[in-house]
Amino acid sequence: FTVNAKQVRTDIDFLKRSMAQADVFAMRDTLASIQHRVRELESAANDLWPFNILPPLRNLRAFLRETDASASRLGSIVATAQSLGQQPAALTDQITLVNLDLDALSSHLERIRSILPNLRVPILGTGTGTVQSLQKIALSAQTIIEYAKEISSVLPEAMGQTVPKRYLLLFQNHHELRPTGGFIGSFAVVEI
């Protein structure tokens, strides 16, 4: 039980690094590992009958269910995002799917945040520090989801879904400082 719980925490840290590096394959593998371990934890918690009806284990089981559902939604978002460039004609449909997953993920995170203050399971080491750490992770994830929703609302328009778009990209040399950041030595025109 404890080994799986510690591994989930390690996987969450690795997932954060994978997201920062935009390593889609590592994210998918890590999410699969998280789901597998969370399901093992759920199974172990269910085997603790009749103790699993007590508030600490009931809260743990609810937390594990929401964590599993969150990992599943996040996996769906990663898979959809990975396929975005493969079918440009379906961009609007794919963004709609991502928005639905983001809404569901947001709901799961809200439920997790409501469960966390009552989560006290000594064998998992869920003391105040662990709960606060999990609350910070959930709050950070909620903030990222809000940003993702904002981006997804303007993405179809910005990607030329309704009308063709033309963008000017200016490349600056930061070794030749200028008030804008650097000397503009080259440019590109991108049409979408």
Side-chain angles (χ1 to χ4, degrees):
F1 207 82
T2 308
V3 172
N4 279 332
K6 288 180 180 177
Q7 187 58 46
V8 167
R9 186 159 187 159
T10 302
D11 284 345
I12 288 172
D13 290 338
F14 186 74
L15 179 63
K16 289 192 299 189
R17 287 192 302 273
S18 299
M19 290 176 89
Q21 296 170 353
D23 187 346
V24 177
F25 296 109
M27 286 189 299
R28 290 180 79 174
D29 291 344
T30 305
L31 285 167
S33 174
I34 289 171
Q35 280 188 283
H36 172 71
R37 294 201 185 273
V38 165
R39 287 178 182 156
E40 286 182 3
L41 286 169
E42 280 183 281
S43 177
N46 289 336
D47 291 343
L48 294 176
W49 177 259
F51 301 107
N52 62 9
I53 61 172
L54 297 173
L57 283 176
R58 192 174 57 233
N59 290 335
L60 174 64
R61 290 173 61 215
F63 172 74
L64 292 172
R65 272 193 312 274
E66 294 301 329
T67 301
D68 183 29
S70 297
S72 176
R73 288 296 182 164
L74 191 54
S76 177
I77 291 168
V78 169
T80 304
Q82 187 178 13
S83 69
L84 277 177
Q86 297 170 356
Q87 301 170 353
L91 180 66
T92 305
D93 295 336
Q94 290 170 325
I95 290 174
T96 301
L97 289 174
V98 167
N99 281 333
L100 291 172
D101 283 334
L102 286 171
D103 289 338
L105 181 57
S106 181
S107 296
H108 292 303
L109 286 171
E110 282 299 318
R111 286 193 288 277
I112 286 173
R113 289 180 61 205
S114 70
I115 294 167
L116 282 173
N118 302 317
L119 187 64
R120 300 282 184 272
V121 183
I123 59 173
L124 291 180
T126 53
T128 306
T130 303
V131 170
Q132 287 176 345
S133 174
L134 291 171
Q135 285 175 326
K136 286 180 184 177
I137 291 170
L139 184 60
S140 296
Q142 194 72 38
T143 303
I144 291 169
I145 289 170
E146 293 306 317
Y147 287 137
K149 285 181 184 178
E150 289 176 23
I151 290 170
S152 68
S153 68
V154 297
L155 193 58
E157 181 72 25
M159 294 299 296
Q161 189 72 21
T162 54
V163 295
K165 296 289 182 181
R166 182 179 297 162
Y167 295 100
L168 174 66
L169 301 178
L170 304 174
F171 301 100
Q172 299 181 14
N173 180 350
H174 65 279
H175 294 292
E176 296 184 43
L177 291 179
R178 299 291 189 273
T180 62
F183 175 73
I184 298 172
S186 55
F187 68 94
V189 176
V190 178
E191 292 184 15
I192 300 175

